[in-house]
Amino acid sequence: MADIAAITKLIEPEAQALGLALVRVAFFGGKSDPTLQVMAERPDTRQLDITDCEALSRRISEKFDEIDPIEEAYRLEVSSPGIDRPLTRVQDWTDWSGFDVRLKVDPPLDGRKQFEGRIIASDGDSVTLGVNKLGEVAVPLAQIASAKLILTDALIKATAPLSTEGADKIIEDAPRRGAGKAEG
């Protein structure tokens, strides 16, 4: 499989040229269905629209067509990190302080492989979580294998779209089956 650190170094300038920040670059699917997943966002809104996804996908594809950094066939997936986003950067822990997170650690910490709790603080080297029945737990960032925000009402409210224009419009391309017919 390709070197993710090297791939990230190739993708980051392409994202930055569009005013985007990378959230995560990862390979999924193994040999049967390899997918290069690129998550990005606008730093000012923490959102990414379809136009941003298309533009970043085009830039990455053009760059990779030139230098071909991945030998095997793969699928490119460019997306927003979503509401229940992964936390992958040191700054994410400060930015999302006060929200609930589920994380896996490796190696285990105090005999546990997984923690779920509220982010209390981060000092750049570790994150402090408020965990039910355990109280405050300090987790070294270097031990976090994966972390993801937990979907809650507070998170949904905090990540509401800046614009909901068009969200209430229904566009119908073709009549639905049985539409306009009276049953009798």
Side-chain angles (χ1 to χ4, degrees):
M1 208 39 73
D3 178 357
I4 289 297
I7 298 294
T8 301
K9 285 181 182 178
L10 294 172
I11 294 172
E12 193 149 31
E14 302 305 320
Q16 289 174 344
L18 295 170
L20 305 174
L22 281 182
V23 173
R24 177 169 74 186
V25 176
F27 255 111
F28 295 102
K31 292 185 183 217
S32 64
D33 186 26
T35 299
L36 176 62
Q37 180 192 64
V38 178
M39 288 185 177
E41 66 185 2
R42 292 210 162 273
D44 57 338
T45 63
R46 293 207 167 264
Q47 296 179 9
L48 196 70
D49 63 26
I50 191 72
T51 305
D52 294 326
C53 289
E54 290 170 347
L56 183 55
S57 180
R58 252 186 261 108
R59 287 188 74 109
I60 293 169
S61 293
E62 289 170 3
K63 180 79 164 185
F64 284 20
D65 285 348
E66 287 175 24
I67 58 176
D68 199 21
I70 304 171
E71 292 181 18
E72 59 275 343
Y74 66 97
R75 180 179 43 195
L76 175 62
E77 174 187 291
V78 176
S79 69
S80 158
I83 296 174
D84 54 344
R85 63 186 300 122
L87 302 181
T88 60
R89 303 166 294 184
V90 172
Q91 185 62 37
D92 289 341
W93 297 99
T94 302
D95 291 349
W96 296 99
S97 182
F99 292 95
D100 295 341
V101 66
R102 179 176 299 118
L103 57 87
K104 294 179 181 176
V105 293
D106 187 30
L109 181 64
D110 298 329
R112 295 179 63 131
K113 294 180 184 178
Q114 184 169 307
F115 291 88
E116 190 171 301
R118 178 141 311 149
I119 303 168
I120 296 172
S122 176
D123 62 10
D125 293 319
S126 66
V127 61
T128 302
L129 302 178
V131 179
N132 283 343
K133 299 182 183 176
L134 293 179
E136 290 189 8
V137 176
V139 180
L141 293 179
Q143 274 184 256
I144 298 175
S146 65
K148 188 174 182 179
L149 290 175
I150 297 172
L151 191 61
T152 62
D153 289 342
L155 182 61
I156 291 169
K157 185 177 179 183
T159 57
L162 297 176
S163 170
T164 57
E165 183 179 331
D168 59 347
K169 294 179 185 174
I170 297 174
I171 300 172
E172 202 169 300
D173 292 332
R176 291 186 316 270
R177 190 173 169 180
K181 293 183 182 177
E183 297 287 326

